[in-house]
Amino acid sequence: MKFYDRVIRDLQNGDRTLRHLYEITFSFSSEIYLEESRGMDIIRYTYADVKKEIERVSSGLCQRFA
């Protein structure tokens, strides 16, 4: 079974909590999430890069508002 087919099946049949969606989203860790242009360079961000940034920001928010 292809990875994407499994994800779709899990979403149709399983939990739809934010935690579940988070785990599915970041199971694509090596895939490209975003590309942006900076002058003559193309910057690529993977799902792993985005997850790391989300965790960094959320940690700061938790400390600030705890």
Side-chain angles (χ1 to χ4, degrees), residues 3 6-29 33 47 50-51 54:
F3 178 75
R6 183 180 58 81
V7 169
I8 290 170
R9 185 202 65 214
D10 288 350
L11 287 172
Q12 289 173 338
N13 299 327
D15 295 333
R16 290 183 186 94
T17 65
L18 288 176
R19 182 66 185 169
H20 188 75
L21 294 174
Y22 177 89
E23 289 170 359
I24 288 172
T25 299
F26 294 112
S27 64
F28 297 96
S29 63
Y33 176 80
Y47 279 86
V50 173
K51 179 181 179 183
I54 288 170

Side-chain angles (χ1 to χ4, degrees), residues 4 6 8 12 15 21 39-40 46-47 49 52 55 59 63:
Y4 296 106
R6 183 180 58 81
I8 290 170
Q12 289 173 338
D15 295 333
L21 294 174
M40 297 299 288
T46 63
Y47 279 86
D49 296 331
K52 185 176 179 180
E55 290 173 347
S59 174
Q63 290 175 5

Side-chain angles (χ1 to χ4, degrees), residues 57-66:
V57 170
S58 64
S59 174
L61 289 171
C62 285
Q63 290 175 5
R64 182 173 182 178
F65 295 108

